[in-house]
Amino acid sequence: MKKYFILLTAISLSGLLGCRPNLAVRPPVKIDFTAKTIEVEVANVGRGNAGAHLTYIEINQVDAPASAKPQSQYSATVSGISAGGSWNSGVIRFSDFSSPRGLNLNTLTTANVVVRADAKDDVKESNEADNIYDANH
């Protein structure tokens, strides 16, 4: 009898976790060094709706040490993303980013871009490990 209770509990827990949202940055991040703009998309690949949260977008120098990041940041308030849906930032100008720390955004021809979906961990997700996109462009 105890064996069946444990099995039923495990099935119930896996069902609950499987009904959670899962936020992930959908590549590719679109960065235009000529127009000085960036655009990102965050998808909810989980089975539950994601509530309001913050998404941080960073532009850093390629090979900048972790201690120097973020060199420039943009914070987007996302009202929520339904299961299977996505949120698109729209075009964000480099001039909308925070004051760069030792970085001139207007002269960049390459950059390290970091996007942190649910940056403050406001959304309980089925997978918290796939919220960060970090790539050189």
Side-chain angles (χ1 to χ4, degrees), residues 69-119:
K69 294 180 183 180
Q71 290 181 305
S72 188
Q73 186 177 62
Y74 179 87
S75 177
T77 301
V78 181
S79 59
I81 305 173
S82 61
S86 66
W87 167 83
N88 185 290
S89 68
V91 174
I92 304 167
R93 292 183 302 273
F94 286 4
S95 60
D96 292 334
F97 279 71
S98 66
S99 299
R101 296 181 344 186
L103 181 66
N104 184 346
L105 295 174
N106 292 319
T107 61
L108 287 179
T109 56
T110 63
N112 168 254
V113 175
V114 179
V115 181
R116 301 175 193 278
D118 190 25

Side-chain angles (χ1 to χ4, degrees), residues 5 7-9 22 30-31 33 46-47 54 63 68-69 71 76 78 82 90 99-100 102 106 116-117 119 122 129:
F5 175 75
L7 179 62
L8 186 58
T9 302
N22 183 29
K30 299 173 188 169
I31 188 164
F33 293 104
R47 292 184 175 178
L54 293 175
D63 298 327
K69 294 180 183 180
Q71 290 181 305
V78 181
S82 61
S99 299
N106 292 319
R116 301 175 193 278
D122 293 323

Side-chain angles (χ1 to χ4, degrees), residues 43-54:
N44 180 355
V45 296
R47 292 184 175 178
N49 294 333
H53 58 278
L54 293 175

Side-chain angles (χ1 to χ4, degrees), residues 10-21:
I11 291 170
S12 296
L13 284 175
S14 67
L16 287 175
L17 292 176
C19 292
R20 287 188 174 178

